[in-house]
């Protein structure tokens, strides 16, 4: 009888430990889903502006409140339709949107542009301070097609964004770097997506057009 | 602890940004000229998406019988086509597929058919999507993706009869001139069954409320399928193709479909057959007073509109005690097929304080507006009781 009591006590204690452990793990998973590193958030927000806002403004995204599985389906659908996101980039965007626009998020959230503006200064690259870079035009062609073409058109002949072939900005390197790194008007900042070598490669290719 | 601090960072970030901070420009692309003009010309609308331009009508506008062209809700998948594509010199309507003779019309050619005018409600299938729980992806329309306008045009039937529909042709496909930003995005192509296409009230409309169809509403020509949801009412129409089957592709085979069970106003269980959205379910809205208004104790006039797909509305009821008791509203004017019916109810407000006002309609087939609509994955056909809160002041 006593042994039985002690035995059931042990079972009960084990159950309790298991239950507490399970709760802690589940809570941690929830936390993980809601958590995102600032650098990752900044990269994701830049990707949203650069790759999603080609077809629709970000207000459409900001009004959604979806769990991770629905965001995954949505982003996959967009990639299937031509959104220029690599699997790694898509994963970052899904993580960001799940953390920001989940079903429990407040009704009013700042726009993605406003949110990005507060993140921008943290890691902005300087334009000219790190010495000259030699751009390689052959690499620039593919980088342009992947990142710039949706707005600036195939062959840089213009589209939603201005024509860049033979554009005067190519001769003004300061203005060119300033625009690409920090954005200008409706064009987002590319500093979080492209490194300096890649920007130099795009510049080199553009001067051949 | 690390995750806690990370979440803390995120919360701080959200608080720090605050509601007052608005970034100039908002959108991240240069708006095309027609869309920018449209945005300026449609100040009174509630914009849901800046590009492609999607905006709904504030419900206070529904105190008038017709919804003006400037304040009519706007919805498209890709925005209007370039102006060149719809210039009278360039624009043609082609009729092809399973017809005895393929035809091409200018707008003037089409206007040789007998003109027909009718007043009909046009409503986005996603109107009210924001009310569905769990939340559904898509434009979060609230109450105003609907309007009532007079449409003038010619019968689709007359045009199809001139081309001669072959016996195998049982679906009629529509294509507009609008195009997505990327060629990899599927075109917005839809079809309706031949019976609806041959219905004498199905129109190819070139006028809206007595004026040439505006660009945002499908200039120069759009389809009007009275009683059916707006995705059948193709804007910027350029091609009609008679087919043996329903149109393939995303916008017909995947989007704009609902579980068959939801059509019958039951559960909308996943796994049930998905059928195209067609008829509008019975629905009513309160146009005045407005949400949050303060009203004086004593008689308060409540007014609104009610409509149903292909059956007339026969009854509108109003509750001024959050649904505990209902009283019948007075239907105004004469009922017209496809148009909405205005209604009015004089409420004797006696108790100071906040109260919920609700309305619900019933159609001639006995369909009654439900408290909440069956959930469905696309968030379509919301027709739950309309509801707002006012405060009675002594």
């Amino acid at each position: 009888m006593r042994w039985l009591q002690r035995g059931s006590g042990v079972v009960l204690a084990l159950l309790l430990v298991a239950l507490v452990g399970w709760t802690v793990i589940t809570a941690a998973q929830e936390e993980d889903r809601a958590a995102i590193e600032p650098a990752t958030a900044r990269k994701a927000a830049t990707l949203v502006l650069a790759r999603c806002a080609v077809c629709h403004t970000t207000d459409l995204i900001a009004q959604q409140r979806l769990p991770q599985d629905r965001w995954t389906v949505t982003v996959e659908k967009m990639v299937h339709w031509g959104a220029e996101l690599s699997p790694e980039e898509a994963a970052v965007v899904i993580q960001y949107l799940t953390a920001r626009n989940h079903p429990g998020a407040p009704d009013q959230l700042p726009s993605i542009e406003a949110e990005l503006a507060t993140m921008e200064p943290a890691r902005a690259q300087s334009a000219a301070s790190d010495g000259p870079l030699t751009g390689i035009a052959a690499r620039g062609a593919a980088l342009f097609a992947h990142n710039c073409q949706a707005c600036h058109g195939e062959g840089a002949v213009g589209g939603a964004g201005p024509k860049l072939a033979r554009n005067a900005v190519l001769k003004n390197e300061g203005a060119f770097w300033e625009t690409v790194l920090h954005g200008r008007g409706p064009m987002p900042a590319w500093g979080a997506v492209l490194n300096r070598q890649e920007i130099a490669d795009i510049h080199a290719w553009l001067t051949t057009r | 602890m690390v995750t806690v601090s990370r979440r803390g960072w995120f919360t701080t970030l959200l608080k720090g940004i605050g509601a007052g901070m608005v970034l100039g420009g908002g959108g991240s692309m240069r708006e095309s000229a027609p869309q920018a003009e449209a945005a300026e010309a449609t100040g009174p609308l509630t914009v849901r998406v800046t590009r492609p331009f999607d905006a709904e009508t504030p419900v206070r506008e529904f105190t008038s019988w017709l919804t003006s062209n400037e304040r009519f809700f706007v919805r498209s998948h890709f925005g209007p086509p370039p102006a060149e594509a719809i210039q009278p010199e360039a624009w043609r309507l082609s009729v092809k597929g399973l017809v005895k003779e393929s035809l091409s019309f200018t707008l003037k050619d089409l206007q040789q058919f007998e003109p027909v005018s009718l007043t009909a409600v046009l409503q986005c299938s996603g109107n009210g999507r924001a009310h569905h729980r769990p939340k559904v992806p898509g434009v979060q329309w609230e109450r105003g993706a609907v309007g009532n306008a007079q449409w003038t045009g010619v019968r689709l039937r007359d045009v199809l009869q001139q081309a001669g529909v072959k016996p195998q042709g049982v679906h009629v496909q529509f294509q507009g001139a609008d195009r997505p930003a990327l060629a990899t995005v599927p075109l917005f192509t839809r079809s309706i069954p031949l019976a609806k296409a041959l219905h004498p009230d199905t129109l190819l409309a070139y006028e809206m409320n007595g004026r040439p169809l505006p660009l945002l509403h499908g200039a120069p020509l759009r389809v009007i399928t009275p009683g059916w949801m707006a995705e059948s009412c193709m804007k910027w129409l350029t091609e009609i193709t008679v087919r043996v089957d329903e149109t393939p592709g995303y916008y017909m085979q995947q989007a704009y479909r609902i579980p068959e069970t939801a059509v019958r106003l039951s559960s909308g269980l996943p796994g049930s057959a998905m059928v195209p959205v067609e008829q509008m379910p019975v629905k009513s809205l309160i146009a005045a007073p407005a949400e949050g208004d303060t009203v004086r104790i004593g008689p308060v006039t409540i007014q609104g509109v009610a409509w149903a797909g292909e059956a007339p509305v026969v009854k509108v009821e109003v509750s001024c005690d959050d649904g505990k008791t209902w009283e019948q509203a007075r239907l105004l004017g004469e009922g017209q097929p496809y148009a909405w019916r205005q209604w009015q109810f004089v409420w004797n407000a006696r108790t100071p304080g906040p109260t919920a006002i609700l309305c619900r309609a019933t159609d001639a087939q006995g369909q009654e507006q439900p408290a909440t609509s069956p959930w469905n994955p696309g968030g379509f056909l919301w027709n739950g009781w309309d509801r707002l809160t006012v405060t009675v002041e002594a």
Side-chain angles (χ1 to χ4, degrees), chain A residues 31-32 34 36-38 53-57 59 63-66 77 81-82 99 110 113 115 118 151 160-161 186, chain B residues 3 6-7 9-10 13 17 23 26-30 48-52 135 137-140 182 184-186 250:
Chain A
E31 282 288 329
D32 247 12
I36 180 165
E37 295 283 359
V54 173
C55 292
H56 57 80
T57 39
D59 43 8
Q63 64 194 269
Q64 311 301 325
R65 297 287 180 276
L66 303 173
K77 178 171 108 177
W81 282 358
E113 286 83 354
E115 197 170 290
T118 67
C151 294
Chain B
T3 48
R6 268 193 267 157
R7 172 183 266 188
W9 165 82
F10 196 70
L13 174 70
I17 290 161
L23 192 79
S28 64
M29 299 262 297
R30 187 161 53 170
R48 295 277 165 227
V49 183
T50 314
R51 175 180 51 80
K135 293 199 175 190
V139 179
Q140 297 298 301
L182 301 179
T184 41
V185 175
Y250 178 79

Side-chain angles (χ1 to χ4, degrees), chain B residues 364-375:
Chain B
Q365 293 168 344
Q367 294 285 342
E368 189 181 289
Q369 217 179 321
T372 57
S373 301
W375 187 89

Side-chain angles (χ1 to χ4, degrees), chain A residues 37-60:
Chain A
E37 295 283 359
T40 312
R42 199 165 69 89
K43 178 168 187 195
T46 307
L47 285 168
V48 167
L49 290 191
R51 309 288 163 73
C52 309
V54 173
C55 292
H56 57 80
T57 39
T58 62
D59 43 8
L60 176 59

Side-chain angles (χ1 to χ4, degrees), chain A residues 20-42:
Chain A
V20 168
W22 176 80
T23 310
V24 167
I25 288 165
T26 310
Q29 282 170 344
E30 288 296 318
E31 282 288 329
D32 247 12
R33 214 168 287 160
I36 180 165
E37 295 283 359
T40 312
R42 199 165 69 89

Side-chain angles (χ1 to χ4, degrees), chain B residues 27-183:
Chain B
S28 64
M29 299 262 297
R30 187 161 53 170
E31 306 307 330
S32 68
Q35 280 165 337
E37 279 165 29
E40 276 169 35
T42 51
L45 296 179
T46 304
V47 178
R48 295 277 165 227
V49 183
T50 314
R51 175 180 51 80
F53 188 66
D54 292 327
E56 64 182 273
T57 310
V59 284
R60 63 171 181 273
E61 299 291 334
F62 302 151
T63 51
S64 79
W65 158 246
L66 292 176
T67 315
S68 74
N69 294 0
E70 293 72 26
R71 293 174 186 190
F72 210 92
F73 84 94
V74 178
R75 161 67 172 153
S76 74
H77 293 79
F78 314 128
E84 310 88 78
I86 54 166
Q87 291 301 310
E89 311 81 58
W91 182 89
R92 295 289 182 277
L93 173 70
S94 67
V95 182
K96 56 190 184 176
L98 296 169
V99 289
K100 295 189 180 90
E101 187 190 359
S102 294
L103 299 172
S104 173
F105 297 93
T106 65
L107 193 59
K108 280 218 168 91
D109 296 338
L110 279 170
Q111 287 168 337
Q112 303 309 306
F113 290 99
E114 183 195 345
V116 181
S117 285
L118 55 83
T119 300
V121 170
L122 191 71
Q123 182 183 201
C124 174
S125 290
N127 192 25
R129 178 179 287 127
H131 305 310
H132 280 288
R133 294 292 179 280
K135 293 199 175 190
V136 174
V139 179
Q140 297 298 301
W141 300 109
E142 291 178 5
R143 300 160 73 210
V146 61
N148 190 46
Q150 188 195 53
W151 309 97
T152 301
V154 299
R155 291 186 182 95
L156 174 56
R157 183 180 69 178
D158 292 350
V159 173
L160 288 174
Q161 277 173 355
Q162 183 164 333
V165 175
K166 289 184 177 171
Q168 313 94 289
V170 287
H171 290 268
V172 178
Q173 171 179 302
F174 303 126
Q175 178 63 58
D178 53 328
R179 291 293 177 271
L182 301 179

